[in-house]
Amino acid sequence: MRAQSHQWIMPRAALLSGLLFWLVGPWIAPAVAKVPTASLSEDSWDEDSLDEPATPTDDTAATMAGLLSEASRALELNELEKASRLFEQARELDADSAMPWLGLSEAQRRRGNHLEALTSARRAQSLAPDQPETVRQVARLQIRVGAPAEALESLAALRALRPDDVESYVLAALVLRDVQRVEEAADLLRSALDRGLASASIFHQLALLELALGNAASAQSVARRGLEQHPENASIQLALGLALAADPETRASAVELLEAAIEKDVPEAGKAHLELGTLLLELAENGCDSKGIEHLRAARQLLPDSAEAHFRLGNGLRACGDLEGAKAALAEFQRLNRQSEARDHGKRSTGASLNQAQELAAQGRLGSALELLQELIEASPEDDRVWTLKAKVLYSMDQRPRALEAARRARELMPGRVENHYLEGLFLSQMGELNEARARLEAAVAIDAENGDAQALLAAVLAELGELEAAAGAFERALALKPTDPSLRLAYGRLLAAMGREEESRRQMEVYRALGGR
């Protein structure tokens, strides 16, 4: 996510001591689409990544090895509190080792603290940027918190470090699929096969993507190639069965494959039941088959929110003479269909109204913008974008407590959107709640380490808290992202002077003046 300028939202802001002062650059991020979480297995953690911590002395090395070994055993036994405590002890023992941070991140993830886990994983990555497992952990957690764009960047970085890493291809393809970039997802997995990565998961997912693109013949070809190398793989069998079922000329031959996939209890069993039940009804002489109805009932149970499952069951029951059952199933189909259409209409309407509210705010008509936003909240209370814009408008109206409340609600609704953490952190910092502000800004830079505004504000908050070394590091990261920002140079120069680093401060002030500062 990258910053966009909306000057009406954020005036110049100074933190309390007056040491750090610069122009905050507000922005509005695009909506985040739903992303997959099923691929983030509880068993996917690799304890081998904890084997070789960097340590300064033999005694420290032995202590670190013991702590990490015991912590890893605690993770295996799911003793998460113990594992966290041991990883924290290892972290205190060697502040420059990534391994304790990585282990702590995994323990936090398993406890459901995904943002904390992401912050720890980012710290591990900063200490070992070329270690694939730190990048992998960051990517997995970005997916989990709902940050697809950032996850795609991390997965690309993982492929650059380890070009033959299967998971980096499959996870990226799933993210691309779920943000409606299906052709890109398929291209990525095709490139993986071209590299010789003949993993069952790549064949399985590529066949399904080809099917989603309407390429039934290509899906069949991919699945057959997969079964040549993984003949007993139930997921590839299912993919081939679905691909055969999608082609009128090959539908009958799909029955055996779909039955085999169901017997092996594949994750997509609902799809298998749906297609198999439909096929059995089609192949029956009178259009009625009891086994077909059983499969369609199973599909409805596994896919209760699928309008298609209710529709097919309703038609099947009607063909078998169960008119009451058919009526109930088709009524549910119609209800789900209306619900889906209402959601789609609501999203389109909300998007248009949000644009209108933003235009009103840009014109300085803040009261009118706020009224429109309140109407939107009543109509779409779960849309975080409405709350985010409301927070900005309230801030511009100098109603900071209400702005903070709106920003917090936006963050609760969409924790994967960097802007929501950034705004809450900004408001908290200006209200003097520096520790809370720090937590929010650390979450923001954990999701997107390349957000210069969040890095800069975090640096200022750390300086206000008296953590000058940490603040200096954050300023350096911010300046790497925004090297021509004179206000950042000024703030960093003043911080360096306060730390007694006069020569470095002088250089920053020279750059500040060269950039037009006075």
Side-chain angles (χ1 to χ4, degrees):
M1 299 180 186
R2 296 295 177 265
Q4 299 175 12
S5 178
H6 295 276
Q7 299 298 336
W8 57 271
I9 283 293
M10 305 285 186
R12 289 182 178 271
L15 288 181
L16 298 180
S17 71
L19 169 66
L20 305 174
F21 180 82
W22 70 91
L23 180 65
V24 176
W27 46 279
I28 292 180
V32 176
K34 178 183 136 190
V35 296
T37 57
S39 297
L40 302 179
S41 167
E42 292 298 325
D43 300 322
S44 62
W45 171 251
D46 180 10
E47 276 84 2
D48 292 340
S49 63
L50 302 177
D51 285 346
E52 299 181 1
T55 50
T57 68
D58 290 343
D59 289 343
T60 304
T63 305
M64 280 285 286
L67 284 171
L68 291 175
S69 177
E70 191 177 352
S72 295
R73 284 195 297 272
L75 268 183
E76 285 185 41
L77 297 172
N78 211 37
E79 296 175 351
L80 302 182
E81 187 173 343
K82 179 181 179 181
S84 296
R85 186 175 66 254
L86 291 167
F87 283 127
E88 286 171 356
Q89 291 175 17
R91 180 187 65 189
E92 292 173 5
L93 187 63
D94 184 358
D96 295 326
S97 173
M99 294 303 103
W101 286 102
L102 189 58
L104 180 60
S105 170
E106 180 60 16
Q108 290 165 332
R109 182 186 76 83
R110 294 190 189 186
R111 296 175 78 172
N113 301 328
H114 297 126
L115 281 170
E116 289 181 20
L118 182 53
T119 300
S120 296
R122 278 292 195 190
R123 183 62 184 271
Q125 186 183 18
S126 72
L127 293 167
D130 296 329
Q131 167 58 255
E133 291 312 312
T134 64
V135 183
R136 187 191 313 281
Q137 184 76 346
V138 167
R140 288 170 174 167
L141 288 162
Q142 286 169 327
I143 292 172
R144 185 59 68 95
V145 302
E150 292 79 7
L152 289 172
E153 290 180 3
S154 294
L155 291 166
L158 178 56
R159 290 194 298 277
L161 290 170
R162 188 175 285 176
D164 294 337
D165 187 273
V166 168
E167 185 184 32
S168 66
Y169 285 89
V170 174
L171 281 183
L174 291 173
V175 173
L176 288 166
R177 176 201 67 188
D178 283 4
V179 296
Q180 310 305 314
R181 294 161 62 181
V182 180
E183 186 65 60
E184 290 179 62
D187 283 341
L188 182 62
L189 294 187
R190 291 175 193 132
S191 73
L193 288 182
D194 290 342
R195 293 187 64 89
L197 303 182
S199 161
S201 59
I202 288 178
F203 282 114
H204 168 224
Q205 294 297 340
L206 180 55
L208 294 179
L209 289 168
E210 295 284 13
L211 198 56
L213 291 167
N215 304 329
S218 296
Q220 291 178 30
S221 175
V222 169
R224 290 188 194 281
R225 285 172 58 195
L227 287 175
E228 288 174 4
Q229 300 188 49
H230 308 277
E232 299 302 318
N233 187 276
S235 293
I236 302 178
Q237 289 175 340
L238 171 60
L240 179 56
L242 294 173
L244 291 169
D247 186 341
E249 296 183 4
T250 59
R251 280 180 70 76
S253 59
V255 172
E256 185 176 341
L257 284 164
L258 293 173
E259 287 176 338
I262 290 171
E263 288 176 6
K264 294 178 180 178
D265 196 24
V266 292
E268 300 100 332
K271 293 181 182 178
H273 282 292
L274 186 63
E275 291 302 329
L276 181 56
T278 303
L279 278 172
L280 292 174
L281 289 171
E282 287 181 5
L283 295 172
E285 288 187 7
N286 60 355
C288 178
D289 183 274
S290 59
K291 286 187 177 179
I293 293 295
E294 287 177 15
H295 284 295
L296 290 178
R297 289 189 190 280
R300 181 181 63 176
Q301 183 175 355
L302 291 168
L303 305 170
D305 296 327
S306 168
E308 183 69 15
H310 291 278
F311 178 74
R312 294 194 194 184
L313 176 60
N315 284 342
L317 291 170
R318 184 166 54 191
C320 292
D322 183 354
L323 300 184
E324 285 299 315
K327 182 179 178 181
L330 292 173
E332 183 63 9
F333 158 72
Q334 291 172 347
R335 186 189 71 81
L336 290 169
N337 234 13
R338 286 193 300 269
Q339 192 178 74
S340 177
E341 290 173 357
R343 273 197 308 269
D344 291 343
H345 175 74
K347 287 178 182 178
R348 290 192 297 271
S349 176
T350 298
S353 296
L354 271 174
N355 289 338
Q356 183 182 354
Q358 190 162 308
E359 288 175 6
L360 288 169
Q363 295 165 9
R365 299 165 61 187
L366 299 177
S368 297
L370 188 60
E371 288 180 10
L372 179 55
L373 289 168
Q374 193 55 47
E375 292 175 9
L376 285 175
I377 285 173
E378 292 173 5
S380 304
E382 304 301 307
D383 192 324
D384 74 297
R385 299 171 302 164
V386 182
W387 289 98
T388 298
L389 189 53
K390 180 181 179 181
K392 292 179 175 183
V393 170
L394 287 167
Y395 180 88
S396 294
M397 298 172 75
D398 203 26
Q399 297 186 31
R400 294 185 181 180
R402 291 182 64 198
L404 174 60
E405 183 182 344
R408 184 165 288 149
R409 181 57 180 154
R411 188 254 304 170
E412 291 169 350
L413 289 169
M414 182 59 74
R417 203 190 301 279
V418 176
E419 182 183 27
N420 294 338
H421 294 276
Y422 172 77
L423 286 178
E424 189 177 356
L426 172 68
F427 301 159
L428 285 164
S429 71
Q430 297 194 346
M431 295 170 70
E433 302 292 340
L434 298 180
N435 285 311
E436 288 186 57
R438 175 184 183 169
R440 295 278 59 81
L441 294 166
E442 285 180 341
V445 299
I447 295 168
D448 183 5
E450 295 186 5
N451 188 283
D453 290 335
Q455 292 280 14
L457 188 55
L458 176 59
V461 168
L462 289 169
E464 291 291 334
L465 288 167
E467 299 188 25
L468 303 189
E469 289 292 344
F475 268 120
E476 288 169 7
R477 291 189 292 275
L479 283 168
L481 298 165
K482 304 175 70 175
T484 60
D485 187 328
S487 54
L488 270 181
R489 294 283 176 186
L490 175 62
Y492 188 33
R494 289 178 174 173
L495 175 67
L496 291 170
M499 296 172 69
R501 294 159 62 175
E502 296 295 341
E503 182 59 29
E504 294 173 78
S505 174
R506 184 184 62 78
R507 287 197 296 270
Q508 291 298 327
M509 299 307 285
E510 287 175 355
V511 177
Y512 164 68
R513 286 188 288 271
L515 291 170
R518 291 181 174 80

PDB file of all heavy atoms in Angstrom, residues 439-460:
ATOM      1  N   ALA A 439       2.363   0.764  19.734  1.00  0.00           N
ATOM      2  CA  ALA A 439       1.844  -0.559  19.378  1.00  0.00           C
ATOM      3  C   ALA A 439       1.160  -0.534  18.018  1.00  0.00           C
ATOM      4  O   ALA A 439       1.343  -1.432  17.187  1.00  0.00           O
ATOM      5  CB  ALA A 439       0.881  -1.054  20.454  1.00  0.00           C
ATOM      6  N   ARG A 440       0.366   0.506  17.773  1.00  0.00           N
ATOM      7  CA  ARG A 440      -0.345   0.586  16.500  1.00  0.00           C
ATOM      8  C   ARG A 440       0.626   0.817  15.331  1.00  0.00           C
ATOM      9  O   ARG A 440       0.469   0.252  14.257  1.00  0.00           O
ATOM     10  CB  ARG A 440      -1.377   1.707  16.555  1.00  0.00           C
ATOM     11  CG  ARG A 440      -2.491   1.474  17.542  1.00  0.00           C
ATOM     12  CD  ARG A 440      -3.603   0.555  16.983  1.00  0.00           C
ATOM     13  NE  ARG A 440      -3.184  -0.760  16.571  1.00  0.00           N
ATOM     14  CZ  ARG A 440      -2.988  -1.801  17.401  1.00  0.00           C
ATOM     15  NH1 ARG A 440      -3.140  -1.672  18.694  1.00  0.00           N
ATOM     16  NH2 ARG A 440      -2.627  -2.977  16.932  1.00  0.00           N
ATOM     17  N   LEU A 441       1.614   1.650  15.554  1.00  0.00           N
ATOM     18  CA  LEU A 441       2.557   1.951  14.473  1.00  0.00           C
ATOM     19  C   LEU A 441       3.488   0.780  14.213  1.00  0.00           C
ATOM     20  O   LEU A 441       3.876   0.531  13.068  1.00  0.00           O
ATOM     21  CB  LEU A 441       3.339   3.219  14.810  1.00  0.00           C
ATOM     22  CG  LEU A 441       2.460   4.474  14.854  1.00  0.00           C
ATOM     23  CD1 LEU A 441       3.189   5.621  15.521  1.00  0.00           C
ATOM     24  CD2 LEU A 441       2.007   4.865  13.443  1.00  0.00           C
ATOM     25  N   GLU A 442       3.841   0.047  15.250  1.00  0.00           N
ATOM     26  CA  GLU A 442       4.634  -1.164  15.035  1.00  0.00           C
ATOM     27  C   GLU A 442       3.838  -2.177  14.228  1.00  0.00           C
ATOM     28  O   GLU A 442       4.398  -2.888  13.386  1.00  0.00           O
ATOM     29  CB  GLU A 442       5.074  -1.745  16.380  1.00  0.00           C
ATOM     30  CG  GLU A 442       6.202  -0.952  17.030  1.00  0.00           C
ATOM     31  CD  GLU A 442       6.636  -1.526  18.366  1.00  0.00           C
ATOM     32  OE1 GLU A 442       5.858  -2.296  18.967  1.00  0.00           O
ATOM     33  OE2 GLU A 442       7.750  -1.209  18.815  1.00  0.00           O
ATOM     34  N   ALA A 443       2.530  -2.254  14.484  1.00  0.00           N
ATOM     35  CA  ALA A 443       1.686  -3.151  13.674  1.00  0.00           C
ATOM     36  C   ALA A 443       1.649  -2.676  12.223  1.00  0.00           C
ATOM     37  O   ALA A 443       1.697  -3.487  11.292  1.00  0.00           O
ATOM     38  CB  ALA A 443       0.272  -3.208  14.254  1.00  0.00           C
ATOM     39  N   ALA A 444       1.578  -1.366  12.007  1.00  0.00           N
ATOM     40  CA  ALA A 444       1.534  -0.827  10.649  1.00  0.00           C
ATOM     41  C   ALA A 444       2.790  -1.188   9.872  1.00  0.00           C
ATOM     42  O   ALA A 444       2.723  -1.648   8.722  1.00  0.00           O
ATOM     43  CB  ALA A 444       1.351   0.693  10.682  1.00  0.00           C
ATOM     44  N   VAL A 445       3.966  -0.996  10.486  1.00  0.00           N
ATOM     45  CA  VAL A 445       5.200  -1.281   9.754  1.00  0.00           C
ATOM     46  C   VAL A 445       5.458  -2.779   9.689  1.00  0.00           C
ATOM     47  O   VAL A 445       6.207  -3.247   8.819  1.00  0.00           O
ATOM     48  CB  VAL A 445       6.406  -0.539  10.365  1.00  0.00           C
ATOM     49  CG1 VAL A 445       6.198   0.964  10.313  1.00  0.00           C
ATOM     50  CG2 VAL A 445       6.696  -0.995  11.790  1.00  0.00           C
ATOM     51  N   ALA A 446       4.842  -3.557  10.574  1.00  0.00           N
ATOM     52  CA  ALA A 446       4.942  -5.012  10.450  1.00  0.00           C
ATOM     53  C   ALA A 446       4.192  -5.487   9.212  1.00  0.00           C
ATOM     54  O   ALA A 446       4.656  -6.359   8.481  1.00  0.00           O
ATOM     55  CB  ALA A 446       4.386  -5.694  11.698  1.00  0.00           C
ATOM     56  N   ILE A 447       3.028  -4.900   8.964  1.00  0.00           N
ATOM     57  CA  ILE A 447       2.263  -5.273   7.774  1.00  0.00           C
ATOM     58  C   ILE A 447       2.962  -4.801   6.518  1.00  0.00           C
ATOM     59  O   ILE A 447       3.093  -5.539   5.536  1.00  0.00           O
ATOM     60  CB  ILE A 447       0.837  -4.688   7.855  1.00  0.00           C
ATOM     61  CG1 ILE A 447       0.075  -5.316   9.019  1.00  0.00           C
ATOM     62  CG2 ILE A 447       0.079  -4.917   6.551  1.00  0.00           C
ATOM     63  CD1 ILE A 447      -1.223  -4.616   9.350  1.00  0.00           C
ATOM     64  N   ASP A 448       3.435  -3.561   6.516  1.00  0.00           N
ATOM     65  CA  ASP A 448       4.102  -3.000   5.330  1.00  0.00           C
ATOM     66  C   ASP A 448       5.327  -2.214   5.794  1.00  0.00           C
ATOM     67  O   ASP A 448       5.224  -1.051   6.191  1.00  0.00           O
ATOM     68  CB  ASP A 448       3.144  -2.086   4.559  1.00  0.00           C
ATOM     69  CG  ASP A 448       3.771  -1.531   3.288  1.00  0.00           C
ATOM     70  OD1 ASP A 448       4.911  -1.928   2.969  1.00  0.00           O
ATOM     71  OD2 ASP A 448       3.133  -0.702   2.614  1.00  0.00           O
ATOM     72  N   ALA A 449       6.484  -2.860   5.733  1.00  0.00           N
ATOM     73  CA  ALA A 449       7.719  -2.229   6.201  1.00  0.00           C
ATOM     74  C   ALA A 449       8.161  -1.087   5.304  1.00  0.00           C
ATOM     75  O   ALA A 449       9.053  -0.324   5.669  1.00  0.00           O
ATOM     76  CB  ALA A 449       8.834  -3.275   6.281  1.00  0.00           C
ATOM     77  N   GLU A 450       7.547  -0.954   4.128  1.00  0.00           N
ATOM     78  CA  GLU A 450       7.951   0.087   3.192  1.00  0.00           C
ATOM     79  C   GLU A 450       7.024   1.301   3.234  1.00  0.00           C
ATOM     80  O   GLU A 450       7.030   2.114   2.313  1.00  0.00           O
ATOM     81  CB  GLU A 450       8.029  -0.476   1.772  1.00  0.00           C
ATOM     82  CG  GLU A 450       9.111  -1.537   1.620  1.00  0.00           C
ATOM     83  CD  GLU A 450       9.289  -1.982   0.197  1.00  0.00           C
ATOM     84  OE1 GLU A 450       8.643  -1.402  -0.699  1.00  0.00           O
ATOM     85  OE2 GLU A 450      10.082  -2.911  -0.035  1.00  0.00           O
ATOM     86  N   ASN A 451       6.252   1.415   4.284  1.00  0.00           N
ATOM     87  CA  ASN A 451       5.403   2.593   4.423  1.00  0.00           C
ATOM     88  C   ASN A 451       6.184   3.671   5.165  1.00  0.00           C
ATOM     89  O   ASN A 451       6.369   3.608   6.384  1.00  0.00           O
ATOM     90  CB  ASN A 451       4.114   2.252   5.182  1.00  0.00           C
ATOM     91  CG  ASN A 451       3.148   3.417   5.171  1.00  0.00           C
ATOM     92  OD1 ASN A 451       3.341   4.373   5.907  1.00  0.00           O
ATOM     93  ND2 ASN A 451       2.135   3.352   4.338  1.00  0.00           N
ATOM     94  N   GLY A 452       6.653   4.655   4.429  1.00  0.00           N
ATOM     95  CA  GLY A 452       7.514   5.681   5.003  1.00  0.00           C
ATOM     96  C   GLY A 452       6.833   6.529   6.048  1.00  0.00           C
ATOM     97  O   GLY A 452       7.460   6.929   7.042  1.00  0.00           O
ATOM     98  N   ASP A 453       5.558   6.849   5.858  1.00  0.00           N
ATOM     99  CA  ASP A 453       4.837   7.670   6.833  1.00  0.00           C
ATOM    100  C   ASP A 453       4.759   6.974   8.188  1.00  0.00           C
ATOM    101  O   ASP A 453       4.972   7.592   9.238  1.00  0.00           O
ATOM    102  CB  ASP A 453       3.427   7.976   6.324  1.00  0.00           C
ATOM    103  CG  ASP A 453       3.425   8.936   5.155  1.00  0.00           C
ATOM    104  OD1 ASP A 453       4.388   9.714   5.035  1.00  0.00           O
ATOM    105  OD2 ASP A 453       2.473   8.894   4.359  1.00  0.00           O
ATOM    106  N   ALA A 454       4.433   5.672   8.175  1.00  0.00           N
ATOM    107  CA  ALA A 454       4.327   4.935   9.433  1.00  0.00           C
ATOM    108  C   ALA A 454       5.696   4.804  10.100  1.00  0.00           C
ATOM    109  O   ALA A 454       5.819   4.932  11.324  1.00  0.00           O
ATOM    110  CB  ALA A 454       3.716   3.561   9.180  1.00  0.00           C
ATOM    111  N   GLN A 455       6.739   4.559   9.305  1.00  0.00           N
ATOM    112  CA  GLN A 455       8.092   4.471   9.870  1.00  0.00           C
ATOM    113  C   GLN A 455       8.486   5.799  10.516  1.00  0.00           C
ATOM    114  O   GLN A 455       9.076   5.833  11.594  1.00  0.00           O
ATOM    115  CB  GLN A 455       9.095   4.104   8.770  1.00  0.00           C
ATOM    116  CG  GLN A 455       8.958   2.696   8.212  1.00  0.00           C
ATOM    117  CD  GLN A 455       9.590   1.636   9.089  1.00  0.00           C
ATOM    118  OE1 GLN A 455       9.931   1.875  10.250  1.00  0.00           O
ATOM    119  NE2 GLN A 455       9.747   0.445   8.538  1.00  0.00           N
ATOM    120  N   ALA A 456       8.179   6.919   9.845  1.00  0.00           N
ATOM    121  CA  ALA A 456       8.547   8.237  10.367  1.00  0.00           C
ATOM    122  C   ALA A 456       7.811   8.548  11.662  1.00  0.00           C
ATOM    123  O   ALA A 456       8.401   9.045  12.639  1.00  0.00           O
ATOM    124  CB  ALA A 456       8.247   9.308   9.317  1.00  0.00           C
ATOM    125  N   LEU A 457       6.522   8.274  11.700  1.00  0.00           N
ATOM    126  CA  LEU A 457       5.761   8.558  12.916  1.00  0.00           C
ATOM    127  C   LEU A 457       6.205   7.652  14.059  1.00  0.00           C
ATOM    128  O   LEU A 457       6.276   8.073  15.220  1.00  0.00           O
ATOM    129  CB  LEU A 457       4.267   8.412  12.643  1.00  0.00           C
ATOM    130  CG  LEU A 457       3.327   8.856  13.763  1.00  0.00           C
ATOM    131  CD1 LEU A 457       3.604  10.287  14.191  1.00  0.00           C
ATOM    132  CD2 LEU A 457       1.876   8.710  13.324  1.00  0.00           C
ATOM    133  N   LEU A 458       6.518   6.388  13.737  1.00  0.00           N
ATOM    134  CA  LEU A 458       7.035   5.489  14.768  1.00  0.00           C
ATOM    135  C   LEU A 458       8.345   6.031  15.338  1.00  0.00           C
ATOM    136  O   LEU A 458       8.573   5.991  16.554  1.00  0.00           O
ATOM    137  CB  LEU A 458       7.249   4.092  14.192  1.00  0.00           C
ATOM    138  CG  LEU A 458       7.877   3.065  15.137  1.00  0.00           C
ATOM    139  CD1 LEU A 458       7.017   2.876  16.384  1.00  0.00           C
ATOM    140  CD2 LEU A 458       8.090   1.735  14.416  1.00  0.00           C
ATOM    141  N   ALA A 459       9.209   6.565  14.474  1.00  0.00           N
ATOM    142  CA  ALA A 459      10.471   7.141  14.936  1.00  0.00           C
ATOM    143  C   ALA A 459      10.215   8.274  15.920  1.00  0.00           C
ATOM    144  O   ALA A 459      10.868   8.377  16.970  1.00  0.00           O
ATOM    145  CB  ALA A 459      11.283   7.649  13.739  1.00  0.00           C
ATOM    146  N   ALA A 460       9.264   9.125  15.598  1.00  0.00           N
ATOM    147  CA  ALA A 460       8.943  10.251  16.476  1.00  0.00           C
ATOM    148  C   ALA A 460       8.415   9.779  17.818  1.00  0.00           C
ATOM    149  O   ALA A 460       8.786  10.301  18.878  1.00  0.00           O
ATOM    150  CB  ALA A 460       7.928  11.161  15.798  1.00  0.00           C
TER     151      ALA A 460
END
